[in-house]
Amino acid sequence: MYTDRKALAKILQKELGVFPLSLKDLRKVYTQQDDTCYCEESEDLAHAMRKVLESGAFHESGWLLFDLPRTKKEARIFQRMGIIPTHVIQLKVSNEYVIYFQEIEVGIRSIEELGKDCAKLAKIKKHCGTPSLFRIALIGSRGSGCITVAKYLAERFNLVYIDYDYIAEQARLQQNSLGKMLRLFEEEWGERPKPEIRIQIVEKYISEYECLKRGWVLTGYPKTVEDFKLFDLSPTPPNRVIFMEVNSDICRERLLNRRYNIVTGSKHNLSSTITGNDDVKLGVHPKDFRLNVERDIQEYEENVIDMMEYAGESAIKIDGNDEERIVREKVEASIMHPILSWQSRIPRPPPKIDPMSIEFDPDDEPDSSVFDKIRAPEPKYTFI
């Protein structure tokens, strides 16, 4: 069957212009020669394939894997690495790719005939619904676990992790017009930057090369529906919006019980951490003072409903009250499923009304004020 698949791959290359990649080709990338399929090798193959795709060599031509994946586990590993085919044409397919599967009856046809039939199916444009490059906005209250989940996704899918509060602080310290404006808001006016300023911070960062190449996962932004609308008008808006729904009491408890080792900077929770060392000095971060915690939670609750209504069906809602492992699995599974396009959220201006298209009823009583500037005022009489 290997020879048949290779022959089919050559025919598809001729018909479609796609570049065929074999198991041997990917092994050369990581220089492993063992023919046995190990789980570790599957990970290596997936990383090798992603590395090849990130090089941009096949952006124009497209690619064709003709002897991979070999097992269900390997198919799942490729999926998790973001390697999603637009078509799968196989005599026997793993369940992982069943939604893309197209069956062709072999019968007594030759390889040439079979290859041309495969090419016809491959020319039919399809989209699995999962983006090839994730741009994820994780929205949740402080203490909801967004940062933990975002760091996991960044490592899992090789994304750039962006924390809005961190990049905003970095922007504030810069000696440029944006940094000066941010310092004016904070130091002289005592206000938070307006949405038009906040989007500049985000756009500047997500337009950098690494974010464009690898994709990103963002926390701490958008904060309001105005932020959200401006974000959608940016050149690279989020194609996955995830709301982490966590009870406010749980968020409050997590933040108020959080402590930091003042020497190492490690994070601890008073309700679960046993230091076993009286010399360890734990301190409270200023952001975790009760007044700041209550303000941040209240601000989020005041804005989250409007943001959810604006996002509509394009949003993914995750119950974040479960344990960390379960939440991670829910988020990872949700971003792989097709959802409504982000374009459905693009703000559209209200329709313009042409005055000439409005019907006028002669019997309508006009507003007398419309004549004030086109005719002399009527005389006023006083009777004694």
Side-chain angles (χ1 to χ4, degrees), residues 221-241:
Y221 186 91
K223 297 181 180 295
T224 66
V225 70
E226 289 78 15
D227 287 338
F228 211 151
K229 292 177 180 179
L230 291 173
F231 202 6
D232 275 342
L233 294 175
S234 67
T236 52
N239 52 30
R240 288 291 184 270
V241 175

Side-chain angles (χ1 to χ4, degrees), residues 287-341:
K287 288 186 177 180
D288 293 340
F289 290 161
R290 180 175 289 275
L291 184 63
N292 294 332
V293 168
E294 296 294 345
R295 180 201 63 195
D296 292 340
I297 292 177
Q298 181 181 354
E299 180 184 23
Y300 175 77
E301 291 179 342
E302 290 174 352
N303 290 284
V304 64
I305 295 177
D306 290 339
M307 287 193 290
M308 283 186 175
E309 289 180 354
Y310 170 73
E313 296 181 6
S314 68
I316 301 169
K317 299 177 183 178
I318 299 294
D319 182 2
N321 296 301
D322 291 321
E323 61 179 274
E324 184 179 321
R325 178 185 60 82
I326 296 176
V327 173
R328 288 202 312 260
E329 291 177 353
K330 287 180 180 178
V331 173
E332 185 176 348
S334 68
I335 64 175
M336 301 302 295
H337 293 164
I339 60 171
L340 197 64
S341 169

Side-chain angles (χ1 to χ4, degrees), residues 63-207:
W63 49 270
L64 167 67
L65 285 175
F66 62 86
D67 51 7
L68 285 168
R70 297 161 293 177
T71 65
K72 178 179 179 179
K73 182 179 288 186
E74 197 167 74
R76 183 179 290 275
I77 290 172
F78 271 61
Q79 275 192 319
R80 286 179 175 174
M81 287 296 296
I83 302 167
I84 311 295
T86 56
H87 298 76
V88 174
I89 304 173
Q90 293 180 321
L91 300 179
K92 185 177 181 180
V93 68
S94 71
N95 291 332
E96 299 308 308
Y97 288 137
V98 68
I99 62 173
Y100 320 111
F101 176 54
Q102 299 170 80
E103 186 175 0
I104 295 179
E105 185 177 349
V106 177
I108 59 173
R109 287 180 294 175
S110 66
I111 290 294
E112 288 287 337
E113 294 172 333
L114 191 60
K116 289 184 178 181
D117 286 343
C118 290
K120 288 179 182 178
L121 284 177
K123 288 178 181 178
I124 301 174
K125 292 186 177 181
K126 294 180 64 180
H127 193 273
C128 63
T130 303
S132 58
L133 206 63
F134 286 117
R135 302 190 301 269
I136 304 171
L138 262 176
I139 304 174
S141 173
R142 285 190 61 215
S144 62
C146 281
I147 292 179
T148 302
V149 173
K151 289 181 177 179
Y152 169 78
L153 292 176
E155 182 179 358
R156 195 76 181 87
F157 296 100
N158 192 32
L159 305 174
V160 178
Y161 167 61
I162 309 170
D163 176 53
Y164 171 79
D165 292 334
Y166 175 78
I167 63 173
E169 178 61 20
Q170 296 301 308
R172 188 184 70 84
L173 297 175
Q174 293 179 2
Q175 299 300 320
N176 53 26
S177 58
L178 180 58
K180 183 179 179 181
M181 180 64 68
L182 292 171
R183 289 192 293 273
L184 282 174
F185 270 100
E186 181 177 332
E187 297 171 5
E188 297 190 19
W189 301 333
E191 299 178 1
R192 292 190 176 185
K194 297 184 182 299
E196 294 78 10
I197 304 296
R198 293 198 289 263
I199 187 60
Q200 292 183 43
I201 300 171
V202 175
E203 279 189 344
K204 184 176 183 298
Y205 200 92
I206 63 176
S207 61

Side-chain angles (χ1 to χ4, degrees), residues 313-375:
E313 296 181 6
S314 68
I316 301 169
K317 299 177 183 178
I318 299 294
D319 182 2
N321 296 301
D322 291 321
E323 61 179 274
E324 184 179 321
R325 178 185 60 82
I326 296 176
V327 173
R328 288 202 312 260
E329 291 177 353
K330 287 180 180 178
V331 173
E332 185 176 348
S334 68
I335 64 175
M336 301 302 295
H337 293 164
I339 60 171
L340 197 64
S341 169
W342 60 269
Q343 294 180 346
S344 64
R345 301 191 305 264
I346 295 179
R348 290 176 172 81
K352 294 183 179 180
I353 300 176
D354 184 1
M356 301 303 295
S357 65
I358 301 176
E359 294 184 1
F360 176 72
D361 187 348
D363 295 330
D364 287 346
E365 185 69 25
D367 184 1
S368 60
S369 63
V370 301
F371 303 112
D372 289 347
K373 294 183 180 181
I374 60 175
R375 69 182 182 186

